[in-house]
């Protein structure tokens, strides 16, 4: 080939390369294929489904109030005007193309909000997502925690149970056969449980979420603390990579998890200045490190023991209506259980990955049966060991402060366990019942002296 021909060929290759680069430059790296709005009590979540991760900027503007989201090299392939905005501060959503390849989305808001954004990776139900959370100032201010004084011991207060329906909103939880979603199942069971607890005189229930929206794990324990809960019950439906796995379970916090949580509380100023210890409250902010550590350790140990106690009652009650995956209360480091002053349990109502259990869990009849079993466990626990200052405690001990009460031995009971729940010693139980050993039989009735 002559030099002239070679030079001409090279020239055409360069031209083709420039043209190709020009085509690439106007193509879009990602597309917005769908969008969703999730209104929650303290914030609103706007989710954009995108075909891949994107670079974006987020900023606020005033007069009028609006939030601007700029996405680089993104094309909009869905209609944002159809999104339901009721219950959110968003009045209107507008969009426009910038620089021929970027996407700008403008949220006209009715009032000032604090926006935050982050990217979510794909899960079982959704692909890549850009999440915009809009926090409303007047709603983010938590109500001060009500501290019970020692005088309230005689006020016959209600026992407060906070019920936590796991997952929610953009987080569907585990998915079962037939697209059964954990977030829907556990919310239905939680609502049934709330109704049962609320029907019992001397007890009341609150929920961390009562709709299809997401609540952060630390926020869930925060809700329990705000209501000064006597117990936090987190409801879930398990999943495993093999469909054969089945059965219900109950979890309490592990000792290792309690130890790490105590260290976290002591390390963070906002936690150290908070209250622990239930009745009366104990502030850590004016204590030296050694004393603060001892107080926090005592509080977490008491909460852990109470969690195991109520967990055993719930597990027994569930065992009467469904198969159990484990016949004892398991312990793990779940974040939602890590409250130093509130007994907490996590209930796995079954394996939603199991076709048989999934078909049961999605029915109203089975959801009511499961909620009733959990309630029976709670009811047994609180009637056996009512918290001080409550109506149930007053009913149990008024007029019989010096008289023993009777208790019928159930499966799994031990003399030491009964003694711990009733705040008496094993030797007191043996003396009261003329027992020569610690052995007890199912169905045997024993007397429990007043603690």
């Amino acid at each position: 080939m002559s030099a002239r021909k070679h030079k001409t060929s090279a020239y055409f290759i360069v031209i083709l390369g420039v043209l190709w680069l020009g085509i690439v430059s106007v193509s879009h790296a990602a597309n917005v294929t769908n969008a969703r709005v999730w209104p929650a009590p303290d914030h609103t979540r706007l989710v954009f489904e995108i075909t891949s991760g994107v670079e974006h900027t987020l900023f606020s503007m005033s007069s009028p109030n609006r939030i601007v989201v700029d996405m680089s090299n993104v094309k909009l392939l869905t209609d944002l005007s159809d999104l339901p905005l009721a219950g959110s501060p968003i009045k209107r959503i507008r969009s426009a193309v910038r620089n021929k390849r970027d996407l700008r989305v403008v949220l006209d808001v009715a009032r000032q909000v604090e926006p935050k954004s982050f990217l979510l990776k794909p899960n079982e139900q959704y692909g890549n997502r850009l999440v915009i959370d809009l926090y409303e100032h007047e709603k983010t201010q938590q109500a001060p925690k009500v501290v019970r004084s020692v005088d309230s011991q005689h006020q016959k207060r209600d026992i407060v149970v906070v019920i936590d329906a796991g997952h929610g909103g953009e987080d569907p939880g585990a998915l079962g056969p037939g697209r059964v979603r954990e977030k829907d199942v556990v919310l239905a069971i939680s609502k049934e449980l709330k109704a049962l607890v609320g029907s019992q005189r001397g007890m009341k229930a609150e929920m961390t979420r009562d709709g299809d929206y997401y609540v952060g794990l630390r926020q869930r324990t925060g809700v329990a603390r705000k209501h000064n809960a006597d117990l936090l019950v987190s409801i879930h439906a398990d999943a495993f990579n093999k469909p054969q796995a089945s059965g219900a379970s109950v979890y309490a916090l592990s000792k290792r998890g309690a130890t790490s949580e105590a260290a976290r509380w002591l390390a963070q100023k906002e936690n150290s200045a908070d209250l622990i210890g239930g009745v009366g409250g104990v502030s850590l902010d004016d204590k030296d490190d050694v004393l603060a550590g001892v107080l926090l350790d005592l509080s977490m140990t008491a909460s852990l023991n109470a969690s195991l106690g109520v967990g055993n009652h719930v597990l027994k009650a569930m065992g009467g209506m469904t198969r159990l995956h484990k016949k004892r209360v398991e312990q793990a480091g779940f974040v939602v259980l890590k409250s130093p002053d509130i007994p907490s349990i996590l209930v796995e109502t079954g394996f939603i990955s199991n076709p048989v259990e999934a078909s049961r869990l999605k029915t109203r009849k089975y959801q009511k049966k499961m909620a009733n079993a959990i309630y029976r466990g709670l009811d047994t626990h609180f009637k056996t060991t009512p918290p001080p200052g409550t109506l149930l405690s007053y009913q149990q001990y008024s007029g019989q402060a010096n008289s023993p009460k009777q208790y019928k031995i159930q499966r799994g009971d031990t003399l030491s366990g009964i003694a711990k729940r009733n705040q008496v010693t094993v030797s007191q139980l043996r003396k009261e019942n003329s027992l020569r050993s610690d052995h007890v039989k199912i169905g045997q009735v024993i007397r429990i002296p007043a603690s």
Side-chain angles (χ1 to χ4, degrees):
M1 181 183 294
S2 67
R4 184 175 181 179
K5 287 184 177 180
H6 180 77
K7 188 174 182 179
T8 301
S9 299
Y11 174 78
F12 279 111
I13 290 173
V14 170
I15 292 298
L16 288 172
V18 170
L19 290 173
W20 181 80
L21 287 173
I23 294 171
V24 170
S25 66
V26 296
S27 66
H28 291 86
N31 297 320
V32 175
T33 58
N34 198 7
R36 293 177 293 278
V37 176
W38 305 97
D42 66 334
H43 73 286
T44 293
R45 174 162 290 186
L46 174 61
V47 180
F48 296 103
E49 272 199 53
I50 48 181
T51 52
S52 65
V54 297
E55 291 184 4
H56 72 283
T57 57
L58 177 72
F59 56 94
S60 305
M61 300 184 74
S62 58
S63 301
N65 292 319
R66 56 202 187 277
I67 306 300
V68 180
V69 187
D70 284 334
M71 298 179 230
S72 300
N73 205 13
V74 172
K75 184 177 182 181
L76 180 64
L77 298 182
T78 188
D79 187 358
L80 300 179
S81 63
D82 291 337
L83 288 174
L85 304 178
S88 79
I90 305 173
K91 296 190 298 183
R92 183 177 58 157
I93 301 179
R94 297 177 282 132
S95 63
V97 177
R98 298 180 68 247
N99 306 323
K100 295 184 179 180
R101 66 173 196 170
D102 298 336
L103 173 65
R104 167 165 285 187
V105 176
V106 179
L107 312 177
D108 294 320
V109 291
R111 47 198 171 271
Q112 193 174 28
V113 295
E114 180 183 344
K116 294 183 179 179
S117 64
F118 56 93
L119 294 170
L120 283 178
K121 294 181 180 180
N123 61 21
E124 293 181 63
Q125 185 169 355
Y126 302 120
N128 289 285
R129 287 151 291 163
L130 171 61
V131 179
I132 311 296
D133 281 340
L134 306 177
Y135 290 91
E136 300 190 57
H137 294 288
E138 62 270 21
K139 292 187 177 183
T140 54
Q141 294 178 353
Q142 288 191 349
K145 180 184 174 184
V146 178
V147 181
R148 303 178 191 129
S149 67
V150 176
D151 291 339
S152 70
Q153 295 288 310
H154 307 290
Q155 293 178 358
K156 306 169 195 170
R157 66 175 179 83
D158 288 337
I159 292 171
V160 180
V161 179
V162 170
I163 303 164
D164 170 48
H167 308 281
E170 196 63 18
D171 176 15
L175 296 177
R179 308 295 289 177
V180 182
R181 300 185 299 186
E182 180 181 4
K183 68 172 183 176
D184 299 329
V185 169
V186 299
L187 181 59
I189 294 173
S190 297
K191 287 182 175 179
E192 295 286 350
L193 179 58
K194 181 186 179 184
L196 289 168
V197 172
S199 68
Q200 169 67 45
R201 185 167 178 257
M203 296 177 68
K204 71 175 182 178
E206 303 287 349
M207 294 182 67
T208 59
R209 72 175 181 98
D210 56 10
D212 190 11
Y213 51 86
Y214 182 74
V215 179
L217 295 177
R218 294 285 181 188
Q219 287 177 273
R220 295 169 192 255
T221 58
V223 171
R225 300 200 77 251
K226 183 182 76 171
H227 290 292
N228 216 346
D230 294 284
L231 178 69
L232 171 65
V233 183
S234 190
I235 311 293
H236 290 258
D238 218 338
F240 194 61
N241 53 18
K242 294 182 180 179
Q244 292 82 8
S246 64
S249 311
V250 176
Y251 287 86
L253 182 63
S254 69
K255 290 185 178 180
R256 181 178 298 178
T259 301
S260 63
E261 188 67 5
R264 191 185 77 87
W265 270 69
L266 288 172
Q268 295 187 7
K269 183 177 180 181
E270 64 270 26
N271 284 336
S272 295
D274 217 327
L275 298 173
I276 64 167
V279 177
V282 179
S283 176
L284 299 181
D285 61 350
D286 60 343
K287 309 296 188 296
D288 62 49
D289 290 346
V290 174
L291 179 55
V294 171
L295 290 173
L296 192 57
D297 185 59
L298 287 172
S299 180
M300 296 203 76
T301 300
S303 295
L304 182 55
N305 287 337
S307 301
L308 292 171
V310 68
N312 277 315
H313 284 297
V314 171
L315 195 65
K316 288 178 189 177
M318 291 198 303
M321 55 79 62
T322 190
R323 181 181 182 276
L324 297 179
H325 185 64
K326 297 285 186 179
K327 294 186 178 180
R328 64 181 180 87
V329 178
E330 298 290 291
Q331 291 181 257
F334 292 110
V335 174
V336 76
L337 302 179
K338 293 183 177 182
S339 185
D341 54 348
I342 302 172
S344 308
I345 60 172
L346 186 145
V347 178
E348 295 283 5
T349 55
F351 279 82
I352 204 167
S353 52
N354 182 296
V356 175
E357 293 197 347
S359 64
R360 291 174 184 163
L361 286 166
K362 70 180 181 181
T363 65
R364 178 77 182 276
K365 181 180 179 180
Y366 193 79
Q367 290 165 0
K368 291 173 74 73
K369 285 180 65 177
M370 180 59 69
N372 190 57
I374 298 171
Y375 167 72
R376 289 200 313 273
L378 301 183
D379 187 55
T380 301
H381 172 76
F382 284 125
K383 284 182 176 176
T384 304
T385 318
T390 60
L391 177 64
L392 292 187
S393 177
Y394 175 81
Q395 290 174 337
Q396 184 180 40
Y397 292 106
S398 64
Q400 52 176 357
N402 298 314
S403 303
K405 61 180 180 178
Q406 291 187 332
Y407 177 73
K408 189 175 183 179
I409 304 299
Q410 302 178 36
R411 185 180 300 277
D413 275 337
T414 63
L415 208 62
S416 61
I418 296 170
K420 182 182 293 185
R421 292 198 302 268
N422 290 276
Q423 300 178 7
V424 297
T425 65
V426 173
S427 60
Q428 284 177 307
L429 284 178
R430 290 179 63 177
K431 182 179 179 180
E432 181 70 35
N433 294 278
S434 301
L435 298 175
R436 295 183 178 180
S437 70
D438 293 351
H439 180 69
V440 289
K441 297 179 181 179
I442 297 174
Q444 178 182 354
V445 177
I446 65 172
R447 295 188 304 276
I448 300 175
S451 61

